Amino acid sequence: MEQQKVIDEIQYYQAQKLTDMLYENHLISFDEYDKLTELNRQTFSPLFVDLFPKTLDKSLKKS
């Protein structure tokens, strides 16, 4: 794997973890979470992006 791909993977993981934390702490809505997740995927192009669901169903976790 080339170095830039490894860097993209790490940056995607960090960006998505931050997005998760923002949502879990009720600082962003589910729609904003979905939009940020999509932006993270486009920006960092993780290797397995095609295997990820289009939207993440976190709405069921929060009641």
Side-chain angles (χ1 to χ4, degrees), residues 15-26:
Q16 193 58 42
K17 192 71 172 165
L18 180 59
T19 301
D20 290 341
M21 289 171 45
L22 289 169
Y23 179 71
E24 289 167 6
N25 288 298
H26 307 285

Side-chain angles (χ1 to χ4, degrees), residues 10-52:
I10 292 168
Q11 290 177 333
Y12 170 76
Y13 176 79
Q14 291 173 329
Q16 193 58 42
K17 192 71 172 165
L18 180 59
T19 301
D20 290 341
M21 289 171 45
L22 289 169
Y23 179 71
E24 289 167 6
N25 288 298
H26 307 285
L27 297 172
I28 60 174
S29 69
F30 181 72
D31 288 338
E32 292 168 316
Y33 174 85
D34 246 5
K35 289 176 186 175
L36 277 173
T37 296
E38 182 60 31
L39 185 60
N40 290 341
R41 291 174 183 177
Q42 291 173 5
T43 302
F44 301 113
S45 301
L47 288 177
F48 302 109
V49 72
D50 293 336
L51 300 177
F52 297 153

